[in-house]
Amino acid sequence: MPDNHPRIHWVSPLPPAETDIAHYTRRILPELAERAEVTLWTDATTWDRDLEQFCPVRSMGPEKILPKQMRSFDGSGDRAGDRPGTVFINMGNSWVFHAGLLTLASRMPSVVILHDLAIQEMCLDAIHNSLLGRQTYLDTMYRWYGEAGRRAAQNALQGRIPATDLSQTYPGFEIAMDNAVAVLTHTAAASEAVSARGYVPTYQLDLPFRASDTARHARPMTGPLRFVQFGHIGPNRRLEQVLEALAEMGPDFDFTFDIVGKVWNPELIRARCQELGISEKVHLHGYVSEPDLDALIGQAHLVFNLRHPTMGEASGSQLRIWNAAAASVVSDQGWYHHLPKDTVFHIPIGGEIAALQQLFVRLQEDRSFGWSLGLAGRQRLIEHHTPAHYANGIVEVANAFENDARDALLANSARRLLSEGPDTPRLSGLMLNRLAQLF
Amino acid sequence: MRVGVLQTQVPFVRGGAERHSANLCEALRRHGHEVAEITLPFKWYPTSTLVDSIMAARLTDLSEVEGVPTDLMIGLRFPAYLARHPNKVYWIIHQYRQAYDQWEAGVSELLDDPEGDVIRHLVRAEDRKAFADTTHPIYANSKTVAQRLQTHLGQKATPLYHPPPNAELLTPGPFEDYLFAPGRLNPSKRPDLLLRALAGTASPLRLVIAGVAENPSYLESLKTMAQELGVSDRVEWLGGVDDEAMRAGYANARAVVFVPQDEDYGYITLEAMLSGKPVITTTDAGGPLEFITNGKQGLVSEAYPPALAESFEILMQDKVVAERMGATGYEHYHALNISWDHVVETLAGQSHPKDSLRPAMASDVAETNKSVSKVGDPQADAIAKRRSEIVPAQTTRMELPAGLDCDVVERMWGALCLADYEAQTGLVRIKVTNHSLSWWPKTDGCAVCVVAEWIGPDGVLRDTNVFVPLTDALGPGASQTLGFRLDPETETRPTRGALRLDLFQTEVGRFTDDGRANSVTLPCSEEAFIKLVRQGSGSHA
């Protein structure tokens, strides 16, 4: 029976945490709080008090919180109408924000919102910081990926292979959905990957972004071309390749490149700029305020939003770029591959530098090259990515939770039964078939 | 009809729910239905085991047995009522309250389990699906249970009341000087509240508490509390009592006190009303409030000691008020059509009791046919021993027809019905029906026969005889009529005593021992009985 105003426990990093997932939560909160009885939960001890205008915000210890602490009641102690709630846990690849939430997800059946399919870095960092048990992790890797997966995980723990390499073969999202009732993703690729496991229902919603009233931009028609890259910038963001492409354009290629956000190794990047002779044209800003970031994007002739490797995650950064009606270039894979061609420049994985340089040449000839892409991108943002649309989807998922919970719990019971049952695959298969017929 | 009664079983626990189920089965049988009580074991902790129990119930197919469909399934308790059957009617005595009202009251174990909230979802989903799948209205055993269904699931349910287990034993009596508090001693019944209220009374008011504590240490804590409150000398702890003591406790009380928190139904309220006693209860008691209105059938106060103490004082100081309220309660009960006939007709459709002579209601399903022999009567003891061997009576003996000895183990079901009885001529016709799936065998098999017994005017069994072996095979659902003549009553030969006829199966025993058939009883003198058995087999039709 659908509940027009379901109870939702929304577990997420919260502003001012320096992660786009915190911003995403803030983005959808007004609309979500209109449509549901929301409580925000965080394992941080501080949060932006502005959030409390929409709903209660509470801190919790993910390793020990219990339902009795999550019950809704007003100050007078009236506990009438304490309907069952749906817990949504936002999962990303940063151990700082998500290691605790992974612990909660393993204890409390929930809807896991997978912002990233590849979460091995988060898992390995969590282990190194004693927030995830090593043996628990290895057992889970074995359960989902077999002996090969377990061995690979062990190699990663011992530093023999980087986490990114591990993620290519064993992305690790299954670790987060071990005890899930359902999974919510933001891309078709992620949805397919989760569905392929046949473990829990998978939902897909377009990532939300609150479009500004207008696209404020001031792209200069003279002077240096302005380029921007922003966000949590790791090696997969192809920054080094961008720098190389820019440098090879020669000293007459006039540009300014603003890098905003957290770079994985700023000293490495500065040294590389020095080597390439472009230090004076490249500016590392670190994190800036959102208005300042939007202003920089608004002035950019091209924004770099490359990802390789990518595990199919959606890009909140791309939505911000579209909001500014800015032209952007993306790697032709994963979620980006499916973006309409009239909204972004796609470049191939192999031959990035050459492809980028072709774009640079076109921009140099015509600074308005790419404006139509920016406008089309903004149009797509408005049609598909509104917070209201997203909040409606969350409410639908919450309304389906009761039946999904039943299916998930009974499926777990069946798995336990089969794991303790006859050893022969044929006999287990008989039971499995019968259970499939009944449920 | 073949009717199954679906009940949850917590091993080693026997309480009101178990008696309720047994009584429903008995009532269905009296209406001529073939009944099976089907119990599924239930363990609800840890939560994974709760889920497994739900799974087990969902996997259980009760649509038919050995190719014979079960016509109707009556579901009483979660999760047993989730078992699969195409024609289920729900008469809810228990949902899984931990997922519903006990959660809201803050006393659910699920609150302390990380999976607690999602378990609530599961239980609700299962209940919703179960109730949506039936074409029958949903019934609840009380308005309180029906209200919970409405509040938590939006499910309409109709209250369907039933009598308490010992309804026929209860009678009004004098209004003496104590308050009677029967029932299980556990925190949900709040005996501590009674003690605190007692301590707040001025008059030398007595409280008689009848019931067993589920946890012995809890009883000790209550007694310690009574001591600390200074009321030990005013509390009588009866512990477990038999039916007669319970009856007397109700009958002679000034009033009955019953102060549970959000009780589903509350037999105690009805037992008090049947005993013509007012009930003192509280505003949060739940079930009792369906029958007790403040100032009419009793007193309803806030659930704190001073308010309750005031209720105690009112009824102890004013006997007339207590009598008036008790009478009002008695009349109210009888006006509510609380009967097993009504329950059976509602759940299983219109039907009528097959036998006007109704056996006593089962307060314990194992206790049947035990009241005939009196303790200390040597002859009765000898008869009882011989009875168990089915040896013919002292004065006569009839040889068992050949072929009665056998090694059959299949238990037969049947019914006896008084088809015709002419008191003037003594002509009797008894219709015997086979309700089993198999044929009742002929003489070369394990025959079913009719056992005749004579019970003296003092209620003691005096004679037993195999009366009429059924020499004709009787198929499933088939009947045959036995005819015989009893000497009628005359002025010089008054009829005292009774002839009782039972069905009996060699190697298995008396059908009535485990509810597989009823018995028929007729007035009969000993002389007539002896003459009857000397006649041998009667005529068959």
Side-chain angles (χ1 to χ4, degrees):
Chain A
M1 185 167 94
D3 183 343
N4 289 335
H5 213 74
R7 285 201 59 213
I8 287 176
H9 298 285
W10 191 266
V11 186
S12 173
L14 300 176
E18 290 178 350
T19 163
D20 197 52
I21 295 176
H23 298 307
Y24 139 94
T25 288
R26 176 60 180 85
R27 234 172 270 144
I28 62 170
L29 195 57
E31 282 79 2
L32 189 60
E34 281 175 8
R35 291 159 173 76
E37 184 190 322
V38 179
T39 304
L40 288 180
W41 294 90
T42 177
D43 58 352
T45 52
T46 60
W47 53 84
D48 185 350
R49 296 296 167 178
D50 172 61
L51 298 168
E52 292 172 15
Q53 66 175 299
F54 302 109
C55 64
V57 183
R58 295 168 71 181
S59 182
M60 54 100 182
E63 72 286 349
K64 56 187 179 197
I65 189 166
L66 294 169
K68 65 183 175 187
Q69 295 152 316
M70 299 176 78
R71 295 171 65 209
S72 72
F73 59 94
D74 63 20
S76 63
D78 176 13
R79 287 176 167 78
D82 189 13
R83 300 164 289 156
T86 302
V87 176
F88 287 82
I89 300 178
N90 284 273
M91 196 63 58
N93 198 26
S94 166
W95 74 274
V96 173
F97 304 114
H98 300 285
L101 304 195
L102 183 64
T103 298
L104 181 66
S106 69
R107 294 177 62 239
M108 202 171 273
S110 63
V111 178
V112 173
I113 304 176
L114 274 179
H115 292 266
D116 294 295
L117 278 187
I119 58 169
Q120 293 290 7
E121 283 172 288
M122 184 267 285
C123 292
L124 297 175
D125 288 339
I127 291 170
H128 291 319
N129 287 279
S130 303
L131 293 173
L132 174 62
R134 180 190 180 95
Q135 195 56 48
T136 301
Y137 167 70
L138 290 173
D139 290 345
T140 309
M141 285 294 290
Y142 175 77
R143 200 161 56 250
W144 286 105
Y145 298 117
E147 180 57 29
R150 193 193 64 79
R151 261 190 273 114
Q154 205 141 31
N155 287 335
L157 279 169
Q158 290 163 356
R160 293 199 207 109
I161 58 171
T164 48
D165 285 5
L166 179 67
S167 291
Q168 284 299 302
T169 313
Y170 310 108
F173 63 87
E174 297 92 342
I175 300 168
M177 71 182 207
D178 225 13
N179 197 27
V181 166
V183 171
L184 171 62
T185 70
H186 299 124
T187 72
S191 184
E192 283 162 17
V194 175
S195 297
R197 280 299 192 171
Y199 191 67
V200 288
T202 311
Y203 299 95
Q204 182 188 341
L205 294 173
D206 286 325
L207 205 63
F209 194 92
R210 186 176 304 283
S212 53
D213 294 335
T214 61
R216 293 188 180 84
H217 61 102
R219 296 181 178 93
M221 297 304 288
T222 59
L225 282 170
R226 301 193 68 111
F227 301 121
V228 169
Q229 183 162 348
F230 66 93
H232 195 81
I233 301 171
N236 71 324
R237 298 293 297 273
R238 319 304 287 173
L239 177 56
E240 293 167 280
Q241 288 73 17
V242 169
L243 294 173
E244 198 172 321
L246 287 168
E248 287 182 7
M249 292 297 288
D252 294 335
F253 183 61
D254 194 13
F255 70 91
T256 301
F257 184 17
D258 292 297
I259 301 172
V260 180
K262 184 174 166 58
V263 177
W264 88 99
N265 191 338
E267 293 313 312
L268 173 73
I269 296 301
R270 288 195 182 91
R272 188 68 181 125
C273 289
Q274 190 78 24
E275 286 171 14
L276 294 169
I278 55 174
S279 294
E280 291 179 1
K281 298 180 180 180
V282 177
H283 311 288
L284 273 68
H285 295 271
Y287 275 105
V288 303
S289 70
E290 289 205 15
D292 288 344
L293 174 59
D294 288 337
L296 283 170
I297 297 172
Q299 294 166 20
H301 297 96
L302 186 66
V303 181
F304 302 108
N305 197 20
L306 304 170
R307 294 274 195 293
H308 175 66
T310 174
M311 295 304 300
E313 68 278 6
S315 171
S317 302
Q318 189 61 47
L319 305 183
R320 182 179 292 277
I321 295 167
W322 281 342
N323 184 50
S328 58
V329 56
V330 300
S331 309
D332 192 10
Q333 72 166 173
W335 178 71
Y336 306 88
H337 172 72
H338 297 284
L339 298 180
K341 292 195 181 327
D342 64 341
T343 62
V344 292
F345 292 119
H346 288 97
I347 60 170
I349 304 305
E352 278 167 309
I353 293 175
L356 283 170
Q357 289 172 338
Q358 284 181 12
L359 279 178
F360 298 154
V361 168
R362 293 294 301 273
L363 280 168
Q364 198 173 36
E365 293 168 354
D366 177 8
R367 291 184 177 218
S368 67
F369 175 66
W371 282 8
S372 61
L373 259 68
L375 286 172
R378 181 172 165 83
Q379 191 61 30
R380 182 174 178 82
L381 175 76
I382 292 168
E383 285 172 2
H384 293 274
H385 294 273
T386 63
H389 182 75
Y390 193 86
N392 289 340
I394 292 294
V395 167
E396 281 187 32
V397 173
N399 282 333
F401 189 79
E402 185 173 288
N403 287 332
D404 289 345
R406 179 194 62 200
D407 292 347
L409 290 171
L410 292 180
N412 284 341
S413 177
R415 284 188 201 99
R416 280 195 297 277
L417 180 70
L418 291 170
S419 71
E420 294 164 7
D423 286 339
T424 62
R426 189 179 79 83
L427 294 177
S428 292
L430 284 173
M431 292 169 74
L432 191 61
N433 287 342
R434 183 61 183 143
L435 289 168
Q437 285 170 4
L438 288 171
F439 297 102
Chain B
M1 284 198 295
R2 281 162 62 95
V3 181
V5 174
L6 270 172
Q7 160 74 314
T8 290
Q9 176 193 20
V10 178
F12 304 106
V13 172
R14 182 166 180 80
E18 285 69 30
R19 290 200 302 275
H20 174 99
S21 178
N23 289 340
L24 173 61
C25 292
E26 178 66 25
L28 287 162
R29 289 189 187 107
R30 285 189 296 109
H31 280 250
H33 298 294
E34 186 179 351
V35 183
E37 184 185 26
I38 301 162
T39 60
L40 300 186
F42 183 35
K43 182 168 178 259
W44 57 92
Y45 58 93
T47 50
S48 56
T49 302
L50 168 63
V51 178
D52 292 347
S53 294
I54 293 171
M55 173 79 108
R58 290 279 308 277
L59 289 170
T60 303
D61 178 4
L62 297 173
S63 55
E64 61 171 57
V65 178
E66 293 187 313
V68 181
T70 304
D71 301 301
L72 178 71
M73 198 61 64
I74 300 174
L76 299 181
R77 286 169 87 186
F78 177 93
Y81 63 46
L82 299 176
R84 291 187 290 128
H85 189 275
N87 186 26
K88 241 191 292 180
V89 61
Y90 295 92
W91 184 31
I92 310 293
I93 57 173
H94 275 313
Q95 290 181 276
Y96 185 57
R97 291 181 64 184
Q98 299 218 34
Y100 293 104
D101 57 290
Q102 289 183 356
W103 174 283
E104 296 206 0
V107 297
S108 170
E109 293 168 2
L110 296 178
L111 288 162
D112 292 306
D113 191 307
E115 301 200 345
D117 213 14
V118 81
I119 291 291
R120 293 171 78 203
H121 280 288
L122 168 65
V123 171
R124 285 166 181 248
E126 287 296 329
D127 276 348
R128 281 196 226 277
K129 183 181 185 319
F131 301 149
D133 284 349
T134 181
T135 57
H136 297 280
I138 306 296
Y139 297 100
N141 71 330
S142 69
K143 271 188 202 158
T144 299
V145 174
Q147 186 56 49
R148 282 196 207 119
L149 286 160
Q150 179 66 49
T151 298
H152 297 288
L153 295 176
Q155 174 67 53
K156 183 178 178 318
T158 304
L160 178 60
Y161 297 131
H162 65 283
N166 290 326
E168 293 182 359
L169 298 178
L170 297 167
T171 54
F175 287 76
E176 293 184 9
D177 65 345
Y178 65 90
L179 298 176
F180 189 51
R184 279 181 295 138
L185 293 176
N186 69 46
S188 71
K189 309 299 181 187
R190 299 192 291 192
D192 57 306
L193 180 58
L194 298 182
L195 296 175
R196 291 198 179 90
L198 184 67
T201 56
S203 58
L205 187 155
R206 283 199 306 128
L207 185 65
V208 176
I209 298 178
V212 178
E214 291 164 358
N215 184 342
S217 64
Y218 183 62
L219 176 60
E220 287 312 306
S221 71
L222 289 173
K223 288 182 175 176
T224 302
M225 179 186 288
Q227 204 159 10
E228 289 168 356
L229 289 168
V231 296
S232 290
D233 57 338
R234 296 161 60 193
V235 179
E236 188 176 349
W237 304 91
L238 297 183
V241 298
D242 61 19
D243 290 346
E244 172 52 29
M246 189 66 79
R247 185 207 64 76
Y250 276 111
N252 300 322
R254 180 64 63 91
V256 173
V257 289
F258 185 40
V259 296
Q261 187 168 23
D262 199 21
E263 183 82 2
D264 285 350
Y265 188 40
Y267 285 145
I268 290 169
T269 312
L270 300 176
E271 288 166 349
M273 294 163 80
L274 279 167
S275 304
K277 301 297 168 179
V279 176
I280 298 174
T281 189
T282 53
T283 51
D284 61 351
L289 299 175
E290 298 184 37
F291 306 101
I292 307 300
T293 302
N294 187 40
K296 288 193 173 176
Q297 302 87 6
L299 294 175
V300 182
S301 74
E302 295 293 321
Y304 72 102
L308 206 49
E310 194 179 327
S311 294
F312 289 2
E313 293 277 16
I314 290 171
L315 290 183
M316 288 309 294
Q317 288 175 18
D318 195 333
K319 193 169 162 184
V320 171
V321 167
E323 288 172 347
R324 174 174 56 76
M325 288 183 178
T328 303
Y330 185 84
E331 287 161 15
H332 185 48
Y333 179 97
H334 289 286
L336 288 172
N337 191 19
I338 300 177
S339 72
W340 281 109
D341 287 343
H342 177 58
V343 169
V344 170
E345 286 164 9
T346 302
L347 298 177
Q350 291 288 327
S351 61
H352 301 283
K354 284 290 184 79
D355 187 351
S356 60
L357 300 171
R358 298 184 182 191
M361 297 304 298
S363 60
D364 183 326
V365 293
E367 291 179 356
T368 56
N369 295 328
K370 284 188 180 175
S371 61
V372 177
S373 289
K374 286 185 180 175
V375 175
D377 183 338
Q379 184 183 13
D381 289 343
I383 293 293
K385 181 176 181 300
R386 283 204 295 277
R387 178 178 173 223
S388 68
E389 300 168 355
I390 306 297
V391 171
Q394 292 170 343
T395 56
T396 61
R397 183 184 175 86
M398 172 175 283
E399 294 294 328
L400 293 176
L404 273 182
D405 293 330
C406 68
D407 56 356
V408 69
V409 295
E410 184 181 2
R411 301 165 78 83
M412 301 298 169
W413 291 75
L416 292 176
C417 174
L418 181 64
D420 195 10
Y421 175 47
E422 294 178 13
Q424 274 189 323
T425 63
L427 177 66
V428 179
R429 290 192 185 281
I430 300 289
K431 182 178 171 185
V432 181
T433 305
N434 176 6
H435 284 311
S436 311
L437 297 176
S438 305
W439 286 74
W440 287 356
K442 296 182 178 181
T443 54
D444 57 347
C446 301
V448 173
C449 58
V450 175
V451 167
E453 295 173 322
W454 186 74
I455 300 162
D458 55 357
V460 176
L461 173 68
R462 299 291 178 185
D463 266 309
T464 296
N465 207 63
V466 173
F467 171 51
V468 183
L470 301 173
T471 55
D472 289 330
L474 204 60
S479 299
Q480 65 175 255
T481 303
L482 309 177
F484 57 88
R485 195 178 296 278
L486 283 178
D487 280 353
E489 180 179 5
T490 64
E491 284 182 12
T492 58
R493 205 171 51 215
T495 300
R496 290 189 191 146
L499 164 71
R500 185 169 71 197
L501 301 172
D502 281 347
L503 287 169
F504 174 75
Q505 180 180 357
T506 309
E507 298 287 335
V508 178
R510 189 184 300 265
F511 278 39
T512 46
D513 281 350
D514 52 1
R516 290 178 292 123
N518 59 314
S519 59
V520 169
T521 305
L522 295 163
C524 177
S525 66
E526 188 169 21
E527 196 174 336
F529 174 82
I530 293 169
K531 191 172 176 182
L532 176 67
V533 296
R534 280 178 176 162
Q535 286 171 6
S537 54
S539 61
H540 296 174

